[in-house]
Amino acid sequence: NAGVTQTPKFRILKIGQSMTLQCAQDMNHNYMYWYRQDPGMGLKLIYYSVGAGITDKGEVPNGYNVSRSTTEDFPLRLELAAPSQTSVYFCASSYTWGSYNEQFFGPGTRLTVL
Amino acid sequence: GQQLNQSPQSMFIQEGEDVSMNCTSSSIFNTWLWYKQDPGEGPVLLIALYKAGELTSNGRLTAQFGITRKDSFLNISASIPSDVGIYFCAGLADNGGGSQGNLIFGKGTKLSVKP
């Protein structure tokens, strides 16, 4: 199993550009998550999905969109990139919800918006 | 919203020393997870705790779920250079009828080990 994979690993965007961060998992997990990590901070939840076709906002959803058309894929879309979106983005997945929510993380995408 | 206070923020220790870090909250948690993040990588799950008072080991790592359900600690014994990284606690808060599904993360403890 490859686990959770993310592409690209690095990206530089200009203000106002758009891009999609890709995330895929091959563990047949129903639950998937997108986080951002700013320097010296913990992870903040952007969006999550409890299954194909179902997504919901996390703590910091503004400026982002997601879709979940398959169990395996959970792309994150930035429509109008802003410098405040410079961060490291992590995708994660888990088999269950609630008390046994052990999340497995991808390697991250480091995004810089100039 | 709920917050996790993780301390210390950073530690500089000599190889062979033991390490202790902890997370506290004003809210009750049903699950505590401890992750390690190496530079340029995603967090990797080290230990999961599900019951108050639970003490769990993973090699040289030991973690405990506090009796009050508002704290957890992680100990690393006989540290080695590859222990370097950022350690995060994460928890699932009790919403009064079970666990909320979304993890809350501490800000991390950065560990440096001198050979």
Side-chain angles (χ1 to χ4, degrees):
Chain A
N1 284 352
V4 180
T5 58
Q6 291 183 240
T7 56
K9 201 158 178 64
F10 303 95
R11 185 70 186 268
I12 298 175
L13 283 182
K14 294 182 180 178
I15 295 172
Q17 285 185 320
S18 62
M19 77 164 292
T20 299
L21 282 68
Q22 301 291 343
C23 174
Q25 53 91 10
D26 62 358
M27 298 175 281
N28 203 30
H29 286 172
N30 280 328
Y31 307 92
M32 296 187 74
Y33 315 82
W34 273 106
Y35 293 90
R36 60 177 286 170
Q37 183 180 35
D38 298 319
M41 303 294 288
L43 284 80
K44 300 285 188 183
L45 183 65
I46 305 171
Y47 270 95
Y48 65 98
S49 169
V50 300
I54 307 170
T55 63
D56 207 348
K57 296 177 180 178
E59 186 180 354
V60 289
N62 291 345
Y64 308 95
N65 274 305
V66 293
S67 59
R68 185 96 181 272
S69 56
T70 67
T71 299
E72 294 77 19
D73 301 295
F74 190 39
L76 177 72
R77 178 89 179 154
L78 282 71
E79 290 294 350
L80 289 170
S84 61
Q85 293 177 305
T86 294
S87 190
V88 182
Y89 291 85
F90 290 101
C91 179
S93 71
S94 66
Y95 181 67
T96 61
W97 186 253
S99 293
Y100 294 90
N101 184 347
E102 297 180 6
Q103 294 183 17
F104 296 88
F105 286 82
T109 294
R110 187 176 295 274
L111 177 66
T112 302
V113 182
L114 301 174
Chain B
Q2 292 101 350
Q3 283 189 326
L4 288 182
N5 301 307
Q6 187 171 350
S7 66
Q9 271 190 310
S10 60
M11 304 180 74
F12 295 84
I13 62 168
Q14 200 74 37
E15 183 177 358
E17 287 183 353
D18 297 342
V19 172
S20 185
M21 59 191 79
N22 68 82
C23 269
T24 61
S25 174
S26 57
S27 303
I28 291 174
F29 281 72
N30 288 335
T31 297
W32 287 96
L33 305 175
W34 284 93
Y35 286 88
K36 183 192 178 199
Q37 185 178 24
D38 291 328
E41 300 293 329
V44 174
L45 183 64
L46 298 173
I47 293 178
L49 302 161
Y50 302 113
K51 291 194 305 188
E54 181 180 356
L55 184 73
T56 297
S57 293
N58 178 3
R60 294 178 296 104
L61 278 63
T62 302
Q64 184 157 30
F65 193 141
I67 290 291
T68 65
R69 295 168 62 196
K70 293 182 178 181
D71 61 345
S72 176
F73 73 75
L74 174 71
N75 286 344
I76 305 172
S77 63
S79 58
I80 58 179
S82 63
D83 290 335
V84 164
I86 302 177
Y87 291 80
F88 290 98
C89 62
L92 280 170
D94 186 310
N95 65 1
S99 286
Q100 293 183 5
N102 295 327
L103 287 176
I104 298 165
F105 283 82
K107 292 183 179 180
T109 295
K110 186 174 182 180
L111 179 64
S112 301
V113 179
K114 289 189 294 184

